[in-house]
Amino acid sequence: MKILVVHPHLNLVGGSEILTKILVYEFVSQGNEVVIVTKGRREDLFPDHSKIRFEYIKELPELYRLSMLKMTTSKIMNLFYTLDSVIESHNPEVALVMIQEPIYAVLIKFSRPSLGTALYIHYPFEEELTPENLPRFIEMYRFPNLYGALYKVADLHMTNSNYTAKALHKHFGIESNVVYPAVDWEYFENEPDIHEERENTIVSVGRFVPQKRHDVLIKLFAEKVKPLYKDAKLIIVGIRDVRYEEYYERVKKLSQEIEDVELIDRPLTPKEMISLYRSAKIYAHLRIGEHFGMAPVEAMSQGAIPVVPRQSGLAELITQGRNGFVFENDEEITQYIIKTLSMGKEEMARVRKYCIRTAWYFNPDRFAKEVLSYLRLLVPE
């Protein structure tokens, strides 16, 4: 099958970019061809491949600089020109938009109405959108102000969790197919020893945006955990977001003021992440309403025990006390962190074993096959 995959910013490093990388290389390993439309790519994440063709959004002369509406119009013109050209040149059998941008489905339908088009929806709203940062979204070929009116244009909707599926149905009346994401094969190559001794280390991973609540985690660590476990360490890994530089600076300052808090503000390779997760007893994720997240699965694959919010897609992974903990409020966060740090060796090994078993479900082969099974429904016989 020849698949058109659209993602506007593969030059960044985030959950949707990594997931797109996992999917397209798994597609070609299973005998498919892929044409990718994007504004840019990181060649370390997306190396050249004989079965993958990269096509870049063609920037027409910027004629509209006077207003937000005209800037949006200009960007959409660029997209239509690019997609129309790519569809004409490559003649794909089906199209998959790897981010919740239904405008791409609309433009694909304008170009070729018969081309089956699917959306992979991470969450049906852009929770980080503000009036101030909307221009930044549009510069990145993202149009969150157009979501709701256009979702139904796509032929098929896939969502990354039941949490997301419920939101899509509640607000837009759209049924979707839940396809849980995947993590890289590297996380499954060498299974960790569930009985190994680890230091009292807590890890958290996420972009430096206020919704991730790194600042709350640091304060809870300092006030509730550190007094009980003098040797405890907290390691926070993330990348800066140009829309939230003030928040990043605040978190950085907090981390410098509190003993045994380390901030890593650069992308780490899977090998580096695996080493980090294997050093930790606990993976803590504080974002309330997180639709899903691959970092908790990566951590579980290496035997780090997750503590995640009940109000999230992440909670769908967890059987309370068996392979991690879900919390209702900030008090329960520290309660479960302390409970985990105080576990005996056998209980720790038992929980780690179920963490690793849970993570195995989120492998690239399962993910790609599920997505392909839905895409085939859109290809005429």
Side-chain angles (χ1 to χ4, degrees), residues 122 160-161 164 180-181 290-294 297 313-314 316-317 362:
H122 301 267
N160 62 358
S161 65
T164 298
Y180 286 106
E290 182 80 82
H291 44 78
F292 200 83
M294 291 185 289
V297 178
L314 305 172
E316 296 167 28
L317 308 181
F362 298 87

Side-chain angles (χ1 to χ4, degrees), residues 2-6 35-37 83 86-87 92 94-96 108 115:
K2 183 179 283 189
I3 307 164
L4 170 63
V5 174
V6 182
V35 180
I36 299 177
V37 170
L83 289 166
V86 168
I87 290 169
V94 69
L96 171 63
I108 289 166
L115 184 59

Side-chain angles (χ1 to χ4, degrees), residues 102-305:
I103 187 63
Y104 291 92
V106 173
L107 297 174
I108 289 166
K109 289 297 185 183
F110 273 136
S111 175
R112 184 170 296 180
S114 62
L115 184 59
T117 305
L119 294 178
Y120 190 82
I121 298 172
H122 301 267
Y123 198 67
F125 302 100
E126 184 51 68
E127 297 169 294
E128 296 168 10
L129 177 66
T130 66
E132 293 74 27
N133 66 24
L134 178 57
R136 179 63 178 165
F137 277 94
I138 294 172
E139 287 171 12
M140 297 166 63
Y141 286 90
R142 301 286 303 279
F143 308 93
N145 50 328
L146 302 178
Y147 285 2
L150 303 178
Y151 271 133
K152 291 185 178 180
V153 173
D155 298 299
L156 188 143
H157 304 80
M158 287 177 270
T159 42
N160 62 358
S161 65
N162 286 306
Y163 185 84
T164 298
K166 289 175 182 176
L168 185 66
H169 185 266
K170 177 181 178 181
H171 295 284
F172 302 105
I174 296 174
E175 299 282 353
S176 62
N177 306 281
V178 175
V179 181
Y180 286 106
V183 300
D184 263 313
W185 279 119
E186 291 172 78
Y187 290 94
F188 304 111
E189 288 177 354
N190 297 294
E191 190 169 305
D193 178 2
I194 61 173
H195 297 284
E196 68 184 346
E197 290 285 345
R198 300 188 185 187
E199 295 182 354
N200 288 328
T201 300
I202 303 160
V203 168
S204 187
V205 178
R207 285 178 304 117
F208 291 110
V209 298
Q211 294 84 355
K212 299 290 185 181
R213 302 205 304 154
H214 309 90
D215 51 342
V216 175
L217 179 58
I218 293 172
K219 289 176 182 177
L220 290 175
F221 174 79
E223 295 170 6
K224 305 291 185 180
V225 178
K226 198 65 178 168
L228 296 177
Y229 292 88
K230 302 297 184 185
D231 61 343
K233 301 176 185 176
L234 173 62
I235 303 174
I236 296 176
V237 182
I239 54 175
R240 298 166 69 167
D241 190 308
V242 294
R243 297 165 297 184
Y244 296 103
E245 283 293 333
E246 183 180 340
Y247 175 75
Y248 164 75
E249 293 297 338
R250 179 153 54 88
V251 171
K252 182 179 178 181
K253 184 172 184 292
L254 262 178
S255 70
Q256 293 168 341
E257 292 172 348
I258 297 170
E259 186 181 4
D260 291 321
V261 175
E262 180 181 357
L263 196 89
I264 301 174
D265 56 2
R266 64 179 177 86
L268 300 184
T269 65
K271 184 176 180 180
E272 290 174 311
M273 292 302 301
I274 288 167
S275 176
L276 180 63
Y277 291 137
R278 287 198 181 193
S279 72
K281 283 186 177 178
I282 296 169
Y283 176 86
H285 202 94
L286 265 63
R287 178 170 179 171
I288 308 298
E290 182 80 82
H291 44 78
F292 200 83
M294 291 185 289
V297 178
E298 294 170 353
M300 292 171 76
S301 75
Q302 305 308 308
I305 297 171

Side-chain angles (χ1 to χ4, degrees), residues 42-83:
R42 285 181 58 120
E43 294 189 5
D44 55 338
L45 281 180
F46 292 87
D48 290 332
H49 190 287
S50 61
K51 294 290 186 181
I52 300 176
R53 177 68 181 265
F54 294 91
E55 296 282 2
Y56 299 97
I57 297 169
K58 296 175 177 64
E59 300 270 18
L60 298 175
E62 196 63 77
L63 303 176
Y64 304 99
R65 293 184 180 275
L66 299 178
S67 70
M68 188 71 65
L69 176 61
K70 290 180 178 179
M71 185 171 82
T72 301
T73 303
S74 176
K75 296 297 183 185
I76 290 174
M77 287 173 63
N78 291 339
L79 285 174
F80 178 67
Y81 175 68
T82 301
L83 289 166

Side-chain angles (χ1 to χ4, degrees), residues 307-319:
V307 178
V308 302
R310 185 174 297 281
Q311 187 184 334
S312 68
L314 305 172
E316 296 167 28
L317 308 181
I318 307 301
T319 300

Side-chain angles (χ1 to χ4, degrees), residues 361-381:
Y361 175 79
F362 298 87
N363 68 79
D365 179 70
R366 186 274 314 162
F367 178 51
K369 284 178 176 173
E370 285 191 31
V371 173
L372 285 169
S373 71
Y374 288 117
L375 295 181
R376 290 190 184 101
L377 297 175
L378 303 179
V379 180
E381 294 184 4

